[in-house]
Amino acid sequence: TPSTFTTAGSGTTNFNVPSNANAIHIQQAVAGGGGSMNGLGYDKGGGEQGGRGGGSGAYVSDKVFTVVGGEQLTAVVGTGGGAGSNSGFNYTASASDGTTTSLSGASTGSIFSLTGGTGSSYSGGYVQGPLATQTSGQGGTGTISTSLSTGTTVDGINITTFSSGRAGSFNSGGDGAEGLPTGGASYAPNCGSDNCNISGANGAASYNGQNAGGSGGGSGSSGSAGTFGSGAGGGGKEAGGNSGGDGEIVYRFLRIA
C-alpha cells in the first residue's frame, strides 16, 4: 500500500526508503522563487518606475522514480530569494536568487536538481535621470532523471492517474518562468512624467503557470511575496519589493509490480 504523503523539512534532511518499496512518487517539488526590486522615483528625471517581478523555480509534479529499498535519500529544500533594495541614490541593485531543491539516493544517485528563479534587477539609473534599465528575474532550470511513464502498483493503482500535484498533470516537470514584464531589459514598467503613478510588475508563476506569482504593488505600495517557488511581485513607485516563494518536496513511497 502506498505510504501517506510526507513534506520534507526545510534545509537538508535524510530519510530511508522502506525496505519493501521500489519507487517514490513526487507529488510536487520546486526550487525557491526569485525576489523582486522596489519601485523607483525620479523627482527630476521626468519619469517614475515600478519594480520588476522575480523568476520562478524549476519544478517536478506527479513524477514516479525508481529507488532502492532501504537506501538513504537526501532531500534539499530551497528557499525564496530576498527582496532587493537600493541604498540612497544608488540605482544599481539586484534582488536575491532562490536556491536549489534536490533529491538524491545513496544507491540511485541524483533523482532531480531544480535551480531557483533569479531575482529582478536594475542598473544605470539616478535620481536626476536617466531612467534605470530593468531586468526581470529568470526561471530556474531542472535536471531530472528518467521517470516512469507507465506502471501499476502491487495493489492495482495505475500511476498514470496521479494528478494531485500543483501542476495538475501526470509526469510533469521542467524549468521555471521569467518574471514580468518578459522580453528582455528595458525601462518598463515606467510612466513618463514627474510624480506620475506606476505599479510594479507581477512575479513569475510556478508549476507551469498553475501557481500564481506575487502581485506587483500599486503606486506607493509594496509587491507581494511569491508562494511555492513563484517569483515575488515588484514594488510600485517608491515602494518595496518582496521575497520569492520557498521551495518544497512532497513525496510518498510505492511498490511497482
Side-chain angles (χ1 to χ4, degrees), residues 11 45 65 72 79 83 91 102 112 119 128 133 136 140 144 146 154 163 201 217 219 225-227:
F65 301 95
Q72 184 181 79
T79 57
Y91 289 165
S102 64
F112 57 77
Q128 293 181 321
T133 297
S136 300
I144 305 168
T146 302
V154 292
S163 59
S219 190
T227 60

Side-chain angles (χ1 to χ4, degrees), residues 35-38 82-86 93-96 120 122 240-242:
S36 63
M37 294 303 303
N38 56 292
S85 64
N86 63 308
S94 300
S96 299
S120 61
Y122 48 65
N242 218 314

Side-chain angles (χ1 to χ4, degrees), residues 41-140:
Y42 290 82
D43 294 338
K44 297 180 181 179
E48 312 287 347
Q49 289 179 277
R52 286 196 171 201
S56 59
Y59 75 99
V60 165
S61 184
D62 286 309
K63 280 184 174 288
V64 178
F65 301 95
T66 299
V67 292
V68 177
E71 75 169 316
Q72 184 181 79
L73 301 183
T74 298
V76 179
V77 177
T79 57
S85 64
N86 63 308
S87 177
F89 295 134
N90 173 22
Y91 289 165
T92 296
S94 300
S96 299
D97 301 340
T99 61
T100 296
T101 290
S102 64
L103 182 66
S104 60
S107 299
T108 301
S110 177
I111 298 172
F112 57 77
S113 179
L114 313 171
T115 65
T118 66
S120 61
S121 63
Y122 48 65
S123 63
Y126 188 66
V127 67
Q128 293 181 321
L131 296 176
T133 297
Q134 300 207 74
T135 302
S136 300
Q138 303 300 298

Side-chain angles (χ1 to χ4, degrees), residues 7-8 10 29-33 77-80 99 101 207 227-229 244-249:
T7 299
S10 59
V30 71
V77 177
T79 57
T99 61
T101 290
Y207 287 105
T227 60
F228 304 118
D246 288 337
E248 64 176 344
I249 300 177

